[in-house]
Amino acid sequence: MKPGVFLTRALPTPVMHRLKTLFDLKYNLYDRPLTKPELMRGMRGRPALISMLSDPIDAEVIASNSRLKVIANYAVGYNNIDLKTAAALGIIVTNTPEVLTEATADLTWSLILSLARRVVEGDRLTRTGRWTGWNPTQLLGMNVSGKTLGIIGMGRIGQAVAQRAVGFGMRLIYHNRRRLPHRVEKRFRASYRPLPRLLAAADILSLHVPLTRETRHLIDRRAFNGMKRTALLINTARGPVVDEKALVRALKKGEIAGAGLDVFEEEPTVQKGLLTLPNVVLLPHLGSATVETRIRMGWMVIENIQAVLKGKPAPNAIR
Ligand code: DGY
């Protein structure tokens, strides 16, 4: 008999085929996140749950299924899961690191370039028929080459963003829990800075930290006060790393020049103040959204579930 798996959102077709071949798969047939009661009903009695970053997997959800052995999160971030409860109940939690690093770094750069070169504003002007011809002072942006990129969080994704910055001829400074080994710093021509000094020096600030108690509202009113008035903020990490209300205030007061956001504090809700500002680019959490990446994430989820159900160590268990 095939083991029972519950999947909270339909995944790309090749992944769905494989899941159906390997497991007794039950999944969410709606094109929306499940409610908590729907989720608990769906996963009942099944040893494996495939969850999305948008599913809060709290203590009540976890404890509702006494047969649960593995929660395979279809994301690299896992702040949506109550790890303590899972550990206490002996349930393995896994994620999908590495396979989405390049896609997320590319998306980060899409935001950097869109914002610095006012791509979205230009697109709007052109498609609404308001463009009256080439103009020497129209939609002037900012060069990225020669500027300073400040990265907070130099893990895999932070480093992939840094790698691209080398090609753009940027100066790189970073802040991280632990300073990187000298050879890694050398590879990116990166220098470590304490947070206040990094905030003060960055022309573009890009966030790549996980959401934890320590990083929640890391970029708050005080942080904005310490940044350059010409600085751009990019967030492809997790929304709550930035105090969104403070961000709206900083943008309105001209404390920073713009923001590119792929993530929000209360997804899918976006602070109203952000929607009307021209100097922001807003994306619907697209970091890993490429065909190749989302398929590879699917293979990873499958490998993790198979390992746990066979009593082997999961390759991507979160410890
Ligand atoms: C993740 O997987 O955690 C990222 O947010 C994808 O965009």
Side-chain angles (χ1 to χ4, degrees):
M1 215 172 70
K2 292 183 198 174
V5 170
F6 184 67
L7 165 66
T8 65
R9 286 304 281 267
L11 298 179
T13 310
V15 181
M16 291 304 282
H17 281 317
R18 186 120 182 91
L19 283 169
K20 286 176 188 167
T21 308
L22 293 170
F23 305 115
D24 168 19
L25 182 74
K26 186 173 168 194
Y27 64 100
N28 173 8
L29 296 169
Y30 308 115
D31 190 19
R32 61 159 175 82
L34 295 175
T35 61
K36 191 166 170 174
E38 285 172 337
L39 171 58
M40 293 198 294
R41 232 181 358 259
M43 66 191 268
R44 193 173 295 153
R46 290 175 182 260
L49 168 67
I50 305 174
S51 53
M52 307 297 120
L53 56 84
S54 45
D55 299 316
I57 309 296
D58 62 16
E60 193 189 353
V61 171
I62 297 173
S64 72
N65 177 0
S66 58
R67 302 186 67 178
L68 191 61
K69 288 193 166 64
V70 53
I71 302 169
N73 212 36
Y74 186 72
V76 66
Y78 43 81
N79 53 289
N80 57 312
I81 300 175
D82 181 340
L83 293 182
K84 264 202 191 130
T85 302
L89 295 173
I91 295 162
I92 306 293
V93 178
T94 68
N95 68 341
T96 60
E98 284 165 31
V99 291
L100 48 70
T101 300
E102 304 303 325
T104 308
D106 286 347
L107 199 272
T108 303
W109 269 92
S110 313
L111 282 172
I112 293 175
L113 293 172
S114 305
L115 198 60
R117 296 308 305 275
R118 308 182 67 176
V119 170
V120 177
E121 289 174 84
D123 176 81
R124 242 178 257 137
L125 184 80
T126 312
R127 76 174 64 231
T128 53
R130 288 179 294 118
W131 184 38
T132 52
W134 189 85
N135 176 339
T137 57
Q138 188 169 62
L139 289 181
L140 302 187
M142 171 180 114
N143 279 355
V144 296
S145 51
K147 293 289 185 334
T148 299
L149 175 64
I151 294 185
I152 305 184
M154 272 290 260
R156 292 186 197 93
I157 297 174
Q159 290 188 27
V161 171
Q163 183 68 60
R164 287 153 176 76
V166 175
F168 277 93
M170 296 190 79
R171 204 166 74 87
L172 195 86
I173 54 177
Y174 76 96
H175 182 78
N176 202 40
R177 259 179 315 180
R178 256 173 272 124
R179 194 170 169 166
L180 298 175
H182 180 62
R183 65 183 159 75
V184 182
E185 288 189 348
K186 218 168 125 193
R187 187 176 345 137
F188 306 120
R189 287 184 240 125
S191 345
Y192 176 84
R193 294 277 186 283
L195 189 57
R197 284 185 54 205
L198 178 119
L199 293 173
D203 294 305
I204 298 172
L205 177 68
S206 195
L207 307 177
H208 301 286
V209 287
L211 176 62
T212 62
R213 222 177 303 146
E214 291 75 38
T215 62
R216 183 175 290 274
H217 286 193
L218 180 70
I219 305 301
D220 58 5
R221 203 164 157 166
R222 218 169 108 199
F224 289 120
N225 274 325
M227 288 172 71
K228 289 185 182 178
R229 295 182 83 83
T230 50
L232 305 177
L233 170 73
I234 307 294
N235 189 7
T236 56
R238 283 291 180 268
V241 175
V242 175
D243 178 343
E244 241 170 55
K245 283 203 177 96
L247 170 62
V248 172
R249 189 176 171 278
L251 287 164
K252 286 192 171 157
K253 289 186 72 183
E255 284 174 359
I256 63 166
L261 307 174
D262 185 41
V263 289
F264 301 89
E265 275 205 79
E266 301 285 345
E267 294 178 13
T269 305
V270 176
Q271 279 285 330
K272 278 213 181 70
L274 287 173
L275 297 173
T276 50
L277 290 172
N279 51 340
V280 296
V281 177
L282 308 172
L283 297 180
H285 205 146
L286 294 179
S288 65
T290 68
V291 174
E292 302 91 321
T293 301
R294 289 280 166 88
I295 290 176
R296 290 179 73 194
M297 288 164 69
W299 300 155
M300 218 165 192
V301 155
I302 291 172
E303 276 169 34
N304 280 297
I305 292 176
Q306 283 183 312
V308 176
L309 297 185
K310 283 182 187 153
K312 294 186 181 154
N316 309 104
I318 294 157
R319 277 163 247 279

